[in-house]
Each structure stands twice: as C-alpha cells, then as structure tokens.
Amino acid sequence: MSLSEELTEKLQNPSIDIGGFAVPQSAVTTWGIMLFIVLLAFVFTRNLQVVPKGKQAIMESVLDLVKNLFLENLGERGKRYIPYLTTVILYLAVANLIGMIGIAPPTKDMNVTAGLALMSIVLVQYAGIRERGVGGWLKHFAYPTPIVTFMNVLELGIKPLSLCCRLFGNVLGAYIIMEMIIYCVPAVVPLAGSAYFDIFDGLLQAYVFCFLTSIYIGESVEEEE
Amino acid sequence: MVAINWNIFWIIFNIIVLFILLRIFLFKPLQKIAAKRETLIQGQIDNATKLNKEASTLKEQYENSLKNAKEESFQIVSDAKERAQTQYDHIIDKANEDAAQIKQQAQKATEAEHEQMMRNAKAELADIALAAASKVLGSNIDAGANKKLLDDFLAGEESSK
C-alpha cells in the first residue's frame, strides 16, 4: 500500500456497529477516555483527608493549578463554570495524548471538535443570559458602541468556528505528520515527533481551547462600566 | 474527512455524561473536603480568637486585682502606721504622766520624811536640853513643868525665827 492510500484510509472516520447502531469510532474512543478519567477520579478521591497527603495532595495541587488558570479569566462571577472547563481540559488532554499509544485521537474527527466548540459557545451565551437576563444579554451585543453590533453577532459564529478548526487542524495535522513519519522511519524518529506533536502540541491545544472558552465566558459575565 | 454531521451529538452527549460523572466522583467529593477543611480552619481561627480574648480579659482582671492589692497593702501599711503612732503617743503620754506622778510622790515622801526627821530631832533636842538643864540645876524639880518650860522656849524660838 502506498503512503497516500494508507493515509486516505486512516483519515476516514469509520463507524463501528454496536447492536445495530453505527457508532463513530471517535465516540467509542471517547468512551474509553471517559472510563479512564472516571476511574482515575474514583481512585484519586478514595478516602479523602482534610489534610491532603500523597496522591490526594498531587491531585489537589493539579486541579488547583487548572482552577487558578481559569479563575483569572472567569473572574468571581464565572467561578461556577470551572468544573465544566476542567472536565473538557481533562478530556482533551487525554484525547490528544492517546495518539502516543497508537489509538487515533478522537479530536481528529471534526464532529468532536465542532461539538465541543458548539457547547462552548452555548455555554458562553448561557452565562451571559444568566448574568444579565435576556434583555441585558441582547444589549451586550451593542457593547461598547452600537457600531460593533454586527461584529459581535458575527462572533457568535466565528468564535466556535475558530475553536473547532484550531483544535481539529492541529490534531489532524499532527496525526498526518506522525503517520507519515511512522510510514517512512518506523523507529526512533517517531519518538521525537510524538514528544512534540502529542505531548507538547496536544496539551497546548487542550489548554488553548479551554483557555479561550474561559476568556469568552469571562467576557460575557464581566461587569460593564 | 472534514464533514460535520449528526455524529456531532455523540461528543455533546459524551461530554455531558463525563461532566456528570466527574461531578459525582471528583468535584463533589473535593468540594466536600474543601468545605470540611474550611470549617476546620475557621473553627481553629475562631477558637484562637476566643482564647485570645479570654486571655486579655484575664490579664485585665489580674492587672486590676494587682492594682487593688497594691492599694490595699498601702492602706494596711498606712493604717498600721497610724495605729502605731497613736499607740506610741499614748504610751509616751502615759510614761510622762507616770514619771510626773512618781516624781511628785517621791517629793512628797521626801518632805514627809524631812518633817518627821525634824520632829524627831526637836523631840530629841528637847530631851537633851532637859537633861542638860536638870544637870545644871542639880535637881529635878518637876519633870512635867520643865518639859513645859522647854517646849515654850522652843516654840518661842521657832516663832521668833
């Protein structure tokens, strides 16, 4: 099989038949990731102590780090969205790292990144409505001056589109390059490539996605002067 | 490859499920333990504040009682001094009085003794004079008359003195 043939085959998003339902491969992988994360959470929250020790201290400091990352952008009013953002960043981090063990990352399916971006923009609008009421939310489109109303409305589509395509493009690009490297040089070189594309870029994209979402939420709940 | 279709709902559904599961297994337990921690720390802070307050109240009390004790001791000492002064004055007065009385008594006694002596001396002198006179006269005419004579003489002598 030539390189291009193999790549074309690998870039399909095949469906897996489960009990008569055609479930996309990305969803099946996602279930595995969910199971992994929930098991991890279950193990790490066994027998929590008031004074954290060992694994609990590690988990708490990692989650604190993530929390503080978002809290800066969200502000006091957006605090309640931290658990959702933590969920997404955990999922994306695992999803983007999963390529290292030879499983196709679910984020190379555009439906996954589009779905996440859609949820993000819905959450941003929900946060705005919750904070200002429907009237205040609508008025906010004309902020700071009415001239920008058009752009603000446009942003409703642009924000999720950029979130979706950035993540998808990065993961897909990394996936294609990694497949090519593995096809050409199956040993040693993929290691260096994997370190960059999976660990560095993968984690960076997970971070960027949630970071931008937190900024959007922060903007929609912040107080106007 | 780049196509958005109904499969988009798989990830939305999955993320919502993951969020709910993490809420149950991660966020809630953590929140609970954090709340517990906060209660504990707040309790300790409250307790420390209470103890501090109590300590300062006690300190104030002690300072007050110390001040009172000082005042009281001053009072006691000054009272004692006053009493001692009174007693001292009393004793001195009494001593003075006693001394004066004793002196007076002594004077009186001396005077009385002196008088007694004088009287004795006079009587003796009269006897001697009588004896001498009877010797001179050679005969004792009448002892009673002589005595009378002598007494008269002595009285005359005294009054002329």
Side-chain angles (χ1 to χ4, degrees):
Chain A
M1 224 191 312
S2 73
L3 173 62
S4 66
E5 273 173 359
E6 194 169 320
L7 267 180
T8 315
E9 194 197 305
K10 284 205 164 162
L11 289 179
Q12 297 305 316
N13 290 312
S15 289
I16 297 165
D17 190 64
I18 298 177
F21 283 103
V23 182
Q25 196 196 352
S26 62
V28 178
T29 317
T30 299
W31 290 339
I33 294 166
M34 284 162 65
L35 191 71
F36 175 70
I37 294 174
V38 171
L39 274 179
L40 216 64
F42 189 73
V43 168
F44 270 89
T45 53
R46 279 304 78 195
N47 178 26
L48 288 178
Q49 301 295 318
V50 172
V51 181
K53 250 188 239 158
K55 63 180 170 71
Q56 190 193 345
I58 296 168
M59 175 198 64
E60 283 198 19
S61 48
V62 168
L63 286 179
D64 251 14
L65 190 85
V66 174
K67 183 181 141 192
N68 290 332
L69 223 75
F70 295 140
L71 198 60
E72 242 173 79
N73 300 325
L74 288 170
E76 220 25 58
R77 292 148 175 272
K79 224 173 158 181
R80 59 198 303 275
Y81 304 106
I82 287 174
Y84 171 75
L85 289 169
T86 309
T87 305
V88 174
I89 203 173
L90 283 176
Y91 170 71
L92 284 179
V94 178
N96 291 350
L97 287 175
I98 211 168
M100 284 170 68
I101 57 168
I103 300 169
T107 33
K108 89 173 189 7
D109 184 346
M110 201 175 190
N111 282 313
V112 171
T113 61
L116 287 168
L118 189 67
M119 290 179 88
S120 284
I121 201 68
V122 168
L123 191 70
V124 169
Q125 301 318 313
Y126 165 75
I129 293 170
R130 192 180 179 279
E131 194 62 34
R132 306 169 201 279
V134 178
W137 170 66
L138 287 172
K139 248 186 247 161
H140 194 60
F141 284 106
Y143 178 79
T145 58
I147 303 166
V148 299
T149 307
F150 176 68
M151 298 215 221
N152 276 339
V153 174
L154 215 59
E155 268 194 347
L156 273 181
I158 292 168
K159 277 177 182 172
L161 190 69
S162 68
L163 279 176
C164 163
C165 291
R166 181 185 302 110
L167 184 57
F168 172 70
N170 268 283
V171 175
L172 185 76
Y175 183 74
I176 291 173
I177 292 171
M178 281 309 296
E179 287 301 321
M180 280 160 60
I181 291 173
I182 290 167
Y183 185 86
C184 301
V185 196
V188 185
V189 182
L191 195 72
S194 192
Y196 177 79
F197 289 115
D198 288 329
I199 299 177
F200 176 71
D201 196 40
L203 290 181
L204 186 72
Q205 288 313 316
Y207 168 66
V208 166
F209 187 94
C210 296
F211 182 79
L212 285 174
T213 304
S214 72
I215 286 179
Y216 296 155
I217 294 174
E219 269 175 8
S220 73
V221 298
E222 82 185 337
E223 214 166 352
E224 291 168 39
E225 288 84 42
Chain B
M1 181 178 84
V2 183
I4 295 176
N5 49 39
W6 289 110
N7 285 341
I8 195 172
F9 289 106
W10 282 107
I11 184 64
I12 293 174
F13 172 75
N14 284 340
I15 286 291
I16 290 171
V17 170
L18 181 63
F19 176 62
I20 292 167
L21 286 176
L22 282 186
R23 222 175 128 79
I24 296 166
F25 289 111
L26 186 65
F27 302 132
K28 283 279 172 198
L30 275 180
Q31 216 170 16
K32 233 194 223 160
I33 206 78
K36 216 165 150 190
R37 202 171 290 156
E38 202 182 304
T39 321
L40 184 80
I41 292 169
Q42 191 59 50
Q44 275 169 353
I45 289 172
D46 286 351
N47 203 25
T49 316
K50 209 180 92 193
L51 281 180
N52 240 340
K53 220 165 152 188
E54 270 176 18
S56 58
T57 317
L58 273 180
K59 194 185 162 208
E60 210 170 298
Q61 258 173 25
Y62 286 148
E63 267 170 6
N64 265 348
S65 60
L66 203 68
K67 214 171 102 189
N68 282 349
K70 238 180 220 169
E71 265 168 25
E72 212 171 324
S73 70
F74 269 128
Q75 189 64 42
I76 289 169
V77 168
S78 77
D79 276 2
K81 259 187 194 161
E82 208 171 304
R83 248 200 333 264
Q85 187 63 45
T86 319
Q87 212 154 359
Y88 170 81
D89 287 350
H90 185 70
I91 290 168
I92 293 287
D93 280 355
K94 189 150 189 297
N96 279 342
E97 221 169 87
D98 283 357
Q101 211 174 349
I102 288 167
K103 201 173 154 190
Q104 214 176 358
Q105 269 173 0
Q107 225 160 13
K108 238 185 226 165
T110 316
E111 256 166 45
E113 210 171 330
H114 182 70
E115 223 163 276
Q116 185 69 34
M117 232 167 62
M118 282 301 276
R119 222 174 313 169
N120 285 351
K122 254 187 221 165
E124 225 162 294
L125 201 60
D127 283 347
I128 292 167
L130 204 60
S134 57
K135 265 220 177 113
V136 169
L137 288 174
S139 62
N140 202 348
I141 319 156
D142 182 9
N146 280 352
K147 185 122 169 97
K148 174 105 175 46
L149 202 74
L150 195 66
D151 275 348
D152 286 350
F153 165 74
L154 278 173
E157 193 84 329
E158 219 158 72
S159 63
S160 71
K161 232 188 320 188

